Amino acid sequence: MIASAPGKIILFGEHAVVYGRRALVSAIDLRCKVEVRKSVDFRINSPLGTTNLDFKVHPYVSYAIRRFQEIQSLKGAEISIESEIPIASGLGSSSAVTVATLKALSEEFNVNLSDQEIFEIARKVELDVQGRGSGIDPFISTFGGSWIFPDKKKVDLSLELFVIKLWERATKVMVEKVANLRQRYPEIVDKIFDAIDAITLRAVEPGLQMEELIYLNQSLLRAIGVSSAKIDDLVAKLEKEGFFVKITGAGGGGCVFGLFKGKKPENSFLVRTNAEGVRIEDS
Ligand code: PMV
């Protein structure tokens, strides 16, 4: 059985969403495809290598199998992963592989999990691996479309964005960095989160000034320490060329994006928002 799930882009609200503020998120047209076949033992094949259950090389898939076994015991499965989503870059590759694995397992072993059940298990897997998180990634990868999260308010947001991939980084490290800053300056950092929440709400108003909101949110992400000197230099250079960009996801690397208006910066690629959620693919 083959299932696929989309990556995502957080337009506004990353980090603040870990503390109950709202984020605007959309599924993008880059997908992760997972094939599951019944077998006598476990084997996971991906661009990262071939392993058994391996919580270091394939943490998300291994925890997904472990969590699935709480519902249905399995002797084994052969899992093969192909992904268009760059890894460790804030575009949701970890959740996409988790969600697609759960969907393919569910169909291959006739468990027929609903999307809501897949989301709830993927959420547990995210916490197994990362220890902390808002659940926004498993949510969007399962349901697709565009949403205000955690309100679960669906919005219609069909955009073309340019994305520049920087370098890989760990979400967990960046989330902990923000948690440390907040511990030292709770009354300041919480106000920044409130401002980010307000940006998210303005972003879904008709006639939005998306680029001004991108500028404001990037400035606040810088304030909470998830930009870097290199990212700041890039943001300034792009602004001179007339492009407004912000980090998407945990920051410290990963990706930046901006609104595509017919011209894109060097070394960027285009994505479309509002993609379909998890689905079964023809074999
Ligand atoms: O894993 P990333 O880079 O897409 O980051 C997810 C967004 C955060 O707000 C930083 C963390 C979370 O769980 O919401």
Side-chain angles (χ1 to χ4, degrees):
M1 193 62 67
I2 303 177
S4 78
K8 64 99 189 22
I9 201 148
I10 298 179
L11 290 121
F12 301 104
E14 49 276 273
H15 289 290
V17 71
V18 177
Y19 300 91
R21 285 14 173 239
R22 284 161 288 200
L24 176 60
V25 64
S26 191
I28 55 173
D29 58 352
L30 298 176
R31 302 187 76 85
C32 175
K33 232 190 219 185
V34 176
E35 177 165 12
V36 172
R37 296 258 169 262
K38 292 189 185 80
S39 182
V40 289
D41 53 14
F42 288 103
R43 190 191 300 270
I44 307 170
N45 310 301
S46 82
L48 301 173
T50 297
T51 67
N52 301 113
L53 286 198
D54 185 321
F55 294 87
K56 286 218 164 70
V57 179
H58 292 122
Y60 289 92
V61 176
S62 299
Y63 276 110
I65 293 168
R66 183 182 272 182
R67 288 286 179 187
F68 186 78
Q69 283 187 306
E70 291 172 2
I71 297 161
Q72 163 94 27
S73 81
L74 304 179
K75 268 211 307 284
E78 168 116 18
I79 318 263
S80 300
I81 301 155
E82 265 176 46
S83 185
E84 301 166 345
I85 312 164
I87 62 167
S89 300
L91 296 182
S93 66
S94 305
S95 282
V97 76
T98 306
V99 166
T101 299
L102 290 169
K103 178 79 175 177
L105 283 168
S106 159
E107 297 298 310
E108 178 73 8
F109 292 95
N110 298 315
V111 178
N112 301 320
L113 294 173
S114 66
D115 283 355
Q116 180 62 27
E117 288 167 320
I118 287 175
F119 161 60
E120 284 165 15
I121 303 167
R123 168 80 177 124
K124 288 186 190 160
V125 171
E126 178 180 67
L127 294 176
D128 289 335
V129 181
Q130 281 175 215
R132 203 194 288 255
S134 62
I136 195 168
D137 282 25
F139 178 84
I140 193 68
S141 199
T142 305
F143 295 105
S146 305
W147 300 77
I148 298 276
F149 185 89
D151 295 5
K152 300 193 179 158
K153 190 171 155 236
K154 201 164 199 298
V155 292
D156 186 19
L157 194 78
S158 192
L159 297 172
E160 204 167 5
L161 306 172
F162 65 81
V163 177
I164 303 174
K165 182 178 171 334
L166 307 174
W167 50 91
E168 292 170 18
R169 83 290 174 279
T171 298
K172 189 176 172 173
V173 172
M174 301 312 294
V175 170
E176 276 166 11
K177 192 173 176 198
V178 174
N180 287 334
L181 187 75
R182 181 168 178 266
Q183 206 169 19
R184 284 183 282 135
Y185 303 102
E187 75 286 14
I188 301 174
V189 172
D190 280 338
K191 288 214 169 65
I192 295 176
F193 290 158
D194 288 340
I196 293 175
D197 183 72
I199 291 173
T200 295
L201 294 187
R202 288 298 286 270
V204 290
E205 277 181 8
L208 79 145
Q209 287 300 315
M210 173 83 95
E211 289 186 323
E212 271 175 358
L213 297 175
I214 286 176
Y215 169 80
L216 283 167
N217 199 352
Q218 173 60 23
S219 305
L220 295 171
L221 288 169
R222 177 161 188 257
I224 59 169
V226 300
S227 193
S228 75
K230 247 171 123 174
I231 298 174
D232 294 343
D233 286 350
L234 176 68
V235 170
K237 176 181 160 278
L238 290 170
E239 277 174 11
K240 274 193 211 130
E241 293 169 18
F243 299 109
F244 287 88
V245 297
K246 70 174 272 292
I247 287 163
T248 182
C255 290
V256 297
F257 79 91
L259 198 59
F260 179 66
K261 297 195 298 192
K263 208 174 107 195
K264 69 182 179 69
E266 244 183 296
N267 301 322
S268 64
F269 57 94
L270 297 181
V271 298
R272 267 187 191 284
T273 61
N274 242 0
E276 197 185 337
V278 67
R279 66 181 184 221
I280 292 296
E281 300 282 340
D282 293 337
S283 306

